[in-house]
Amino acid sequence: YQGVYDRAYAAAWRCMDRRAFDYLALGCGDGYKDASFFNHQAARALNGYLGLAEISPSLLIEASQKLASFQPEAWVVDLASAPEAFFRPSNPDNPRRLISCMGMLPTLGYQVLLPYLSRQMGPEDWLLVSANLTPSKDPESCQAILTQYDNDLAMEWYRGFLLELGLPRDSFAC
């Protein structure tokens, strides 16, 4: 998928041209995808605000460290409680924002994510979203997608999420 992300990042940089913009990363995870977005245009620094939102505090810390040179503002939130301040443009004279939701669509579903985003987005905003869905019902194709979600790193994230919800360590299995 990195090749797909790289093509999407190149297109996003072209759309944003040289004007300043804010970058909001919803579901930033460990910040790898967002760091890759900025590395795609290493010679060009962000000219606006960088906001990171994630439901996992530990992942948010990791993302903040990866993107420290941009001095990100980090929020531990879920979509139901994301504060309005997170979505407010940093410069009212230049309200352009690029909102990144890479990998969020399969997690939340389009019935939740897309209406939520449509309420938050303004006329100057751009949306970078990925679906990461299997290209066919072929068992080999499904297995390729499953391995992205059924692995030690993903299991560690699921356990962390359940612990952050307050579930006792011995009350679940991943």
Side-chain angles (χ1 to χ4, degrees), residues 3 28 32 40 51 53 63 77 86 93-95 101 115-116 126 134 136 142 148 152 158 160 168 172:
C28 66
Y32 176 80
H40 195 339
V77 296
F86 180 77
D93 295 330
N94 180 24
C101 298
Y116 175 80
W126 288 80
T134 181
S136 72
C142 292
Q148 295 180 47
D152 291 341
Y158 303 144
F172 59 86

Side-chain angles (χ1 to χ4, degrees), residues 120-138:
Q120 304 301 331
M121 293 182 68
E124 296 284 327
D125 291 340
W126 288 80
L127 177 63
L128 189 57
V129 63
S130 68
N132 298 29
L133 298 176
T134 181
S136 72
K137 295 194 183 293
D138 179 299

Side-chain angles (χ1 to χ4, degrees), residues 87-129:
F87 290 97
R88 204 170 301 130
S90 65
N91 179 353
D93 295 330
N94 180 24
R96 282 174 28 122
R97 298 176 300 177
L98 177 60
I99 301 171
S100 174
C101 298
M102 301 300 266
M104 298 261 312
L105 192 57
T107 303
L108 295 174
Y110 70 91
Q111 297 97 336
V112 173
L113 183 62
L114 298 181
Y116 175 80
L117 290 171
S118 71
R119 290 190 304 272
Q120 304 301 331
M121 293 182 68
E124 296 284 327
D125 291 340
W126 288 80
L127 177 63
L128 189 57
V129 63

Side-chain angles (χ1 to χ4, degrees), residues 63-76:
S64 295
Q65 290 170 342
K66 274 190 180 98
L67 296 157
S69 64
F70 296 102
Q71 301 175 339
E73 187 169 325
W75 301 71
V76 177

